[in-house]
Amino acid sequence: MSITTFAVAGATGRLGGHVVDVLTERGHQVVPMSRATGVDIITGEGLAEALTEVDVIIDVASWHASDQEAATEFFRTSARNLHEYGQKAGVAQITVASIIGVDKATAGFLAAKKVHEQLLLSGPIPVRILRAAQFHEFVGQLLDWQQGDVAYIPALPTQLVACRTVAEELVDLALNPCEPAPRTPIPEIAGPRKEILAEAAALLGARRGIKVAGVDGSGMPDAEIAAEGGFLPSPHAKLAGPTFQEWLDTQP
């Protein structure tokens, strides 16, 4: 089967923009789905029309806040709608971006993503999942959320990865429609080396004139699991550059 038409849910988001770019560069037809393009995967507005003649949905739509209950409701509705409308349109596969370590999560946004995976896998359309490490771009977001002269950032281990790298891997997975062998682990993509979140934030903070202080992260959901490396990539993960410093050097 030659797959040529992709619908990207969350096409105008941080990861979605890169996914659209990668697909376009590789010569595929892309249907960008977001509220900005008149498609709402929660209300269903414009969804049936958008999925006409689409072969594969790439789902990178995300909830904008960390509240577990609201995020879970968002993912529950989006999973149901993508399966329901996708099945009617004859979509062959859904490929979704998730997060490394969600299977261990007990609270917060990651726990919502765990439910999201389960809901998608239980639907009628075959689903492929790619779990990614935290994005390089997330570090700037952490600094943006902070108030005052000092940013208090958790000194937790992570293996930051570039959004573009994740987008390329996600498209590769979406182009490979064959079912994984039984008990094959869910594929993972992470950056080339382990980093400490607070140290990465300090590199960016130095450019922005923001002082960064590392803290233990006890206010975060599952901070203990994170501190023990529970959200670091598995041995089977694909590791790909650039490092955070290399990526930062290319930013305007």
Side-chain angles (χ1 to χ4, degrees):
M1 179 175 75
S2 167
I3 297 170
T4 54
T5 305
F6 291 83
V8 180
T12 52
R14 181 177 284 124
L15 178 55
H18 285 286
V19 171
V20 170
D21 287 348
V22 172
L23 286 167
T24 306
E25 286 163 20
R26 295 188 187 181
H28 299 287
Q29 288 178 284
V30 184
V31 180
M33 300 197 304
S34 71
R35 281 181 301 192
T37 66
V39 184
D40 192 322
I41 62 170
I42 299 303
T43 65
E45 182 191 350
L47 194 50
E49 296 81 358
L51 293 178
T52 306
E53 296 183 10
V54 162
D55 300 300
V56 168
I57 297 168
I58 298 182
D59 181 12
V60 290
S62 192
W63 181 245
H64 54 77
S66 58
D67 177 68
Q68 183 179 344
E69 201 175 317
T72 302
E73 191 50 43
F74 173 87
F75 289 130
R76 181 177 286 120
T77 307
S78 71
R80 185 182 64 232
N81 284 345
L82 290 179
H83 271 295
E84 184 184 315
Y85 285 84
Q87 189 180 30
K88 285 177 188 165
V91 168
Q93 183 184 300
I94 298 172
T95 305
V96 62
S98 190
I99 303 167
I100 289 173
V102 287
D103 48 318
K104 306 181 188 84
T106 66
F109 185 80
L110 264 67
K113 273 304 278 188
K114 176 159 76 171
V115 173
H116 188 214
E117 284 191 3
Q118 292 162 351
L119 291 166
L120 279 172
L121 288 170
S122 65
I125 301 172
V127 170
R128 301 297 305 276
I129 297 168
L130 175 67
R131 289 179 179 161
Q134 200 55 263
F135 303 149
H136 291 329
E137 290 82 352
F138 174 67
V139 178
Q141 211 176 329
L142 278 179
L143 292 182
D144 292 340
W145 288 338
Q146 299 274 346
Q147 307 287 315
D149 301 333
V150 182
Y152 296 94
I153 306 293
L156 295 171
T158 181
Q159 200 140 329
L160 296 163
V161 67
C163 253
R164 169 77 189 201
T165 303
V166 177
E168 289 169 355
E169 196 67 15
L170 198 57
V171 169
D172 286 345
L173 187 64
L175 283 164
N176 180 10
C178 41
E179 289 289 307
R183 292 186 293 282
T184 303
I186 289 173
E188 296 180 0
I189 178 79
R193 69 178 187 209
K194 189 169 97 169
E195 318 217 27
I196 301 299
L197 197 54
E199 291 172 9
L203 291 173
L204 180 57
R207 288 182 57 155
R208 293 189 180 180
I210 298 169
K211 185 171 167 52
V212 171
V215 293
D216 69 359
S218 56
M220 287 175 58
D222 292 331
E224 269 181 45
I225 297 173
E228 289 162 10
F231 301 129
L232 292 173
S234 308
H236 72 269
K238 178 175 177 178
L239 306 182
T243 64
F244 184 75
Q245 179 71 68
E246 289 165 347
W247 173 82
L248 196 55
D249 291 342
T250 67
Q251 299 306 296

